[in-house]
Amino acid sequence: MVSFAELSLTSFLADRLQQAGFTAPTPIQAAAIPLALEGRDLLAQAKTGSGKTLAFLIPLIERAVKENWKSAGHPSAQAGSSRSPRALVLAPTRELALQIEMELRKYAPPSVTSLAVYGGVPIDRHYRALRQAPMIVIGTPGRLLDVAGTRHLDLRGVEYVVMDEADQMLDRGFLRDIQRILQLLPAQRQTMLFSATFSPEILTLAESMLKNPARTSVDPGVNSPTKITHAYYVVPSEASRVQLIHTLLQASEAGDQSMVFCDQKYKVKRLAARLGGEPASVGAITGNHSQAQRERTLTAFRSGRLRSLVATDVAARGLDVPSVSQVIHYELPGNPTSYVHRAGRTGRAERSGATLLILSPQEEHEYLAMVRRLRIQTKRLALP
Ligand code: ADP
Ligand code: MG
């Protein structure tokens, strides 16, 4: 498939894709969309920034429009018709759930209704919104379970399930919640799993949840988009880490944005405070911030009002801010998967981007072993 035209999409969606300037599907979209439209269960792997969101949203929107889904919340709905959503999308973080819903709203006609359900906001807000019986619910597991345990959300009519960042959803932190959610769904359904990374163990677990899944892996062995460069500095002390990050942020070109990842909340707080001085253009996101603060900060970052965002791994997965041109790791990330996803916040949709690590002399050896395993090229830079 070389153009979206070959898919003969419904007109609203086709128009919106054209308005976005997207003529050709990305490789994962070309591979996954036809399979998803055929009704196949799917295990789809493709690098960060390669368009996985639309790879699952396009088939959902097509289904909703072609099958003329009706909302039970609509005044004309028949009494007793199911108020259950038809599709459920699961995501690991609140910001990602919101982003997926924003993306859906960009491409779906208003008749295809949706709701993002996630923690950190009053649950009443979701109860009220669920009275409209949205057709597509996008949520984080914890809040979804809270809501599904009440009369406000019935999941028995769900026909399509998507897990974005599926390897994280099936990892220790979420697995039990996911298993409980799957138990609330009908056995007869289509399930689609997407991620840039799947470990062999998670792949086996994932396959056990799917029926005769089609497996699509775009560019197997490519762990990080080729247009992302990787480089590192070795610094003698903690104080020089902060100084170096300050210099790197200052040196970045106008219009470019940066994300800085730390492995601990207190480090994010401390670093943001030290960097925030002059142009107050540095924001911070961790699990300690209130949800309202998190959303405000991310909105300011997306709009360009904030030039830099310091964050924990809560912002490492899925977030799509196309003008992020550099990702700085405050220290060696705890594991290769985290490294790949953090780095993947830049180099979106074939743009170029830079990943920079700040390492202590002790971390260098471990880092080099990590990139070797990932088959990524890196180089040591001289301190500025
Ligand atoms: P992933 O989930 O694979 O990390 P996203 O779905 O977030 O990637 O998409 C990354 C970027 O690519 C987004 O800014 C999106 O708008 C853009 N994009 C998606 N599909 C296309 C396409 N067919 N052509 C060009 N850009 C696209
Ligand atoms: Mg994604």
Side-chain angles (χ1 to χ4, degrees):
M1 193 206 315
V2 289
S3 77
F4 280 122
E6 284 173 56
L7 283 169
S8 338
L9 299 170
T10 50
S11 61
F12 189 96
L13 175 55
D15 289 350
R16 287 297 167 98
L17 287 167
Q18 198 175 20
Q19 282 163 22
F22 301 169
T23 46
T26 65
I28 187 61
Q29 291 165 1
I33 295 170
L35 291 164
L37 287 171
E38 274 171 33
R40 292 289 300 272
D41 275 10
L42 213 59
L43 196 52
Q45 176 171 21
K47 63 195 179 190
T48 55
S50 63
K52 293 187 287 297
T53 319
L54 283 175
F56 60 75
L57 288 182
I58 288 173
L60 288 185
I61 298 168
E62 276 301 286
R63 280 285 164 78
V65 174
K66 284 217 174 108
E67 295 170 8
N68 197 14
W69 292 0
K70 291 262 187 295
S71 167
H74 194 270
S76 69
Q78 288 178 320
S81 59
S82 168
R83 298 178 62 89
S84 170
R86 305 280 290 263
L88 182 65
V89 180
L90 298 162
T93 66
R94 302 161 180 183
E95 286 72 23
L96 186 53
L98 274 168
Q99 178 181 291
I100 294 168
E101 212 236 349
M102 266 166 38
E103 195 77 349
L104 175 69
R105 294 283 30 114
K106 251 194 252 169
Y107 296 97
S111 61
V112 179
T113 56
S114 60
L115 177 69
V117 168
Y118 53 93
V121 299
I123 201 162
D124 285 349
R125 201 208 275 187
H126 298 322
Y127 292 161
R128 242 176 292 126
L130 283 165
R131 274 188 225 139
Q132 307 298 317
M135 298 164 184
I136 302 177
V137 167
I138 300 142
T140 52
R143 177 56 64 93
L144 257 177
L145 277 171
D146 288 346
V147 182
T150 70
R151 64 190 160 78
H152 300 275
L153 179 63
D154 176 0
L155 293 177
R156 285 173 300 183
V158 170
E159 295 161 58
Y160 306 98
V161 183
V162 176
M163 279 184 223
D164 196 13
E165 308 295 343
D167 61 322
Q168 188 181 11
M169 307 303 284
L170 298 178
D171 205 355
R172 287 176 300 275
F174 282 117
L175 183 58
R176 293 205 36 187
D177 282 355
I178 294 296
Q179 285 169 330
R180 285 172 59 204
I181 291 170
L182 294 181
Q183 278 166 9
L184 300 173
L185 304 175
Q188 183 64 36
R189 59 163 197 265
Q190 185 181 355
T191 311
M192 297 174 271
L193 272 48
F194 285 81
S195 185
T197 51
F198 281 105
S199 69
E201 303 80 63
I202 298 281
L203 267 183
T204 310
L205 174 64
E207 292 214 300
S208 74
M209 295 179 169
L210 304 176
K211 282 199 251 2
N212 182 29
R215 269 175 72 162
T216 59
S217 187
V218 174
D219 301 334
V222 175
N223 288 305
S224 190
T226 45
K227 288 197 177 159
I228 301 181
T229 60
H230 299 259
Y232 67 101
Y233 296 95
V234 176
V235 292
S237 69
E238 204 58 23
S240 42
R241 277 183 208 260
V242 179
Q243 185 51 46
L244 177 57
I245 291 174
H246 185 85
T247 309
L248 293 171
L249 294 183
Q250 295 273 307
S252 75
E253 283 174 35
D256 282 357
Q257 292 184 285
S258 305
M259 286 179 80
V260 185
F261 286 99
C262 304
D263 64 7
Q264 305 269 321
K265 294 173 196 167
Y266 81 89
K267 287 184 193 163
V268 169
K269 190 175 170 195
R270 199 178 57 190
L271 181 63
R274 295 204 185 145
L275 296 174
E278 312 97 71
S281 60
V282 179
I285 289 187
T286 69
N288 280 349
H289 293 91
S290 73
Q291 188 53 28
Q293 280 173 315
R294 281 165 62 162
E295 285 173 35
R296 260 199 313 275
T297 303
L298 191 58
T299 303
F301 188 58
R302 284 188 198 282
S303 75
R305 268 180 287 135
L306 289 175
R307 284 198 65 202
S308 310
L309 187 65
V310 187
T312 54
D313 271 338
V314 73
R317 290 249 185 181
L319 296 186
D320 182 55
V321 183
S323 48
V324 171
S325 61
Q326 69 177 348
V327 169
I328 301 172
H329 305 252
Y330 183 82
E331 71 273 283
L332 184 67
N335 60 71
T337 306
S338 160
Y339 178 69
V340 167
H341 287 277
R342 289 176 176 191
R345 293 320 96 215
T346 185
R348 313 290 298 163
E350 301 293 321
R351 288 180 185 78
S352 49
T355 305
L356 297 168
L357 280 90
I358 322 282
L359 303 176
S360 66
Q362 299 85 330
E363 288 172 328
E364 183 178 9
H365 182 73
E366 201 183 326
Y367 171 64
L368 291 175
M370 179 190 282
V371 291
R372 243 192 329 272
R373 277 199 305 278
L374 290 170
R375 284 180 271 174
I376 286 171
Q377 303 286 333
T378 191
K379 62 172 186 282
R380 182 170 170 171
L381 301 175
L383 290 171

